[in-house]
Amino acid sequence: VFVAFGDLQATMYPLLADERSVALNIGTSAQIAFRQSSDGGAAEYEKALLARSTCGLLPFFNNGKVIVSASMNGGNMVMSEIEARIGKNATNAEIATLLQAADKFAERNSNRPFTAEATGLFHCERGMPAADALRLHRIDPNDKRPIADEEAIAAVCRRVVANMLDLTPFDEGRHQIMLLVGSAACSRFAMPLRRELGQRSRSVIEIVKPEGSTSAAAGAAAFAWAESDL
C-alpha cells in the first residue's frame, strides 16, 4: 500500500530522475517542475524562485521535494485564438488540422525573423496585476499583410513559451536536460523553446522528448514497481 501523491508528482516521477532535469508540460495550462537541490547548493536561486507567487514547493518521492510552477497560461491561450479564427463550434478535425499547420509553420520558420507576435495573456497569472488581453500584430507597423491562421497560432505558442520562461528562469549551473511533456513536444512549442533558450541561456540545455507514456497513472505504476522489489 502506498501513500497517494498528486497527479503532477506522479507524472513527473519517471522524468525527474536527478537534479539536472527539468520537466515542461503543456496541456490546457502549463507546468514546469524540477527537484529541489538536496545539498543546498542552489539555495539562493530556489529561495528567490519560491518567493514568486507562481512557484510552489511540493513533496516528492523518496523524501524529496519538487519546485513547481503550475496553472500557467498554456493551451487555453492557443484555443482562445483558434476559437477566434475558426469558431467555437469547430470540429476536432478542424482544430487538429490548424495545429498541424502551425507545427509546419514553426518548422519552416525556425531560424527566420518573426514577422508577427502575440502580446498579453489569456488570463492573469497568480499574484500578477491584471494582464493585457491577448493580441496579435505585425512586428513591422508598415507590414499590412493579414496574419494567416497558422502564423497566428505559432505566434501565440511563442508567447506561451516566453511567459513560462519569464515566470520560471532556470538555474544554468544545474539544469542541463529539459524534458518536453504533452503538447510541449509539438513543433509549435518546441521550436520557439529552443530559440528562446538559445537567446536567454549562456549554457546549453539538452531538449528531450521522453519515450513511452508520461501520464500520472504510468508514473504511479513505475513508482509502485520500483518499490515492490519484484
Side-chain angles (χ1 to χ4, degrees):
V1 178
F2 297 98
V3 176
F5 267 82
D7 58 353
L8 187 145
Q9 292 102 313
T11 300
M12 297 302 172
Y13 170 71
L15 304 176
L16 302 182
D18 55 50
E19 295 178 9
R20 299 178 305 145
S21 300
V22 177
L24 189 154
N25 177 49
I26 299 178
T28 302
S29 62
Q31 299 90 34
I32 293 177
F34 51 88
R35 286 177 177 268
Q36 185 182 39
S37 173
S38 58
D39 60 5
E44 290 303 314
Y45 160 78
E46 291 176 352
K47 182 179 178 181
L49 197 61
L50 289 169
R52 301 180 177 211
S53 57
T54 50
C55 294
L57 186 64
L58 300 178
F60 202 55
F61 298 91
N62 300 319
N63 298 316
K65 291 187 178 181
V66 64
I67 294 175
V68 177
S69 290
S71 301
M72 293 181 287
N73 285 272
N76 52 357
M77 278 181 62
V78 178
M79 185 54 65
S80 71
E81 186 61 25
I82 289 175
E83 291 178 349
R85 289 185 168 263
I86 62 176
K88 293 186 176 181
N89 296 320
T91 65
N92 289 338
E94 290 171 329
I95 293 170
T97 297
L98 180 50
L99 292 176
Q100 290 167 4
D103 284 333
K104 293 177 180 177
F105 181 89
E107 291 164 6
R108 290 195 308 269
N109 295 277
S110 60
N111 295 313
R112 296 177 181 173
F114 299 128
T115 60
E117 68 176 354
T119 58
L121 296 169
F122 179 65
H123 68 73
C124 183
E125 301 288 2
R126 285 178 304 214
M128 291 175 57
D132 291 335
L134 178 63
R135 291 187 177 88
L136 281 144
H137 60 89
R138 288 288 181 196
I139 295 174
D140 181 355
N142 296 317
D143 186 349
K144 304 302 182 183
R145 292 174 300 154
I147 301 174
D149 292 346
E150 64 271 20
E151 185 177 8
I153 299 305
V156 172
C157 291
R158 293 199 306 273
R159 177 69 185 113
V160 168
V161 167
N163 180 61
M164 295 177 72
L165 297 182
D166 286 343
L167 294 175
T168 317
F170 301 127
D171 183 352
E172 294 187 19
R174 181 164 58 113
H175 296 144
Q176 301 172 24
I177 301 170
M178 179 177 293
L179 301 113
L180 304 185
V181 185
S183 295
C186 297
S187 295
R188 58 187 179 273
F189 291 111
M191 292 293 181
L193 177 63
R194 292 179 189 276
R195 194 161 168 171
E196 282 281 342
L197 287 175
Q199 293 172 348
R200 292 173 184 239
S201 177
R202 296 185 298 274
S203 58
V204 176
I205 299 178
E206 181 184 4
I207 297 177
V208 177
K209 180 179 178 180
E211 296 182 0
S213 175
T214 53
S215 67
F223 174 69
W225 178 264
E227 295 295 309
S228 65
D229 295 325
L230 295 178

